Amino acid sequence: MPTYSYRCTECDNAFDIKQSFSDAALTECPVCGGALRKVFSPVGVTFNGGGFYRTDSRAKPASGSSTGGGSSTGGGSSSSAPAKTGSGKPTAPSAS
């Protein structure tokens, strides 16, 4: 059962009361008989995980050129370290 906050417009009496969704809103102050207003406050909601933000559905940006660049030695393997790609997986040697 939700809790609603009310404040009197005449005597500034404020109180909380538990009411069902089907119950009618209170209109009369129990202290002075003045008009009541519901008090609305922000709800603390946290969106955790993926899919909630605009950037979650975007593709990962490429961290380099796909052509490879650099010089070709023509041999089988080279002594330099393999080029890093955005996915973190090693690249297969290209057939020339």
Side-chain angles (χ1 to χ4, degrees), residues 82-92:
K84 292 186 178 184
T85 62
S87 64
K89 296 180 182 178
T91 58

Side-chain angles (χ1 to χ4, degrees), residues 1-92:
M1 199 175 311
T3 302
Y4 295 100
S5 297
Y6 289 94
R7 180 177 296 272
C8 179
T9 58
E10 295 179 21
C11 69
D12 285 334
N13 176 35
F15 61 94
D16 297 335
I17 187 168
K18 289 185 179 180
Q19 290 181 300
S20 175
F21 289 112
S22 60
D23 291 346
L26 300 179
T27 57
E28 186 176 315
C29 177
V31 175
C32 71
L36 286 177
R37 292 187 56 101
K38 272 189 181 179
V39 178
F40 295 99
S41 58
V43 178
V45 176
T46 305
F47 296 105
N48 292 328
F52 291 106
Y53 298 100
R54 190 173 90 172
T55 58
D56 287 346
S57 61
R58 292 186 181 175
K60 302 284 186 227
S63 63
S65 175
S66 62
T67 60
S71 62
S72 173
T73 59
S77 65
S78 66
S79 61
S80 65
K84 292 186 178 184
T85 62
S87 64
K89 296 180 182 178
T91 58

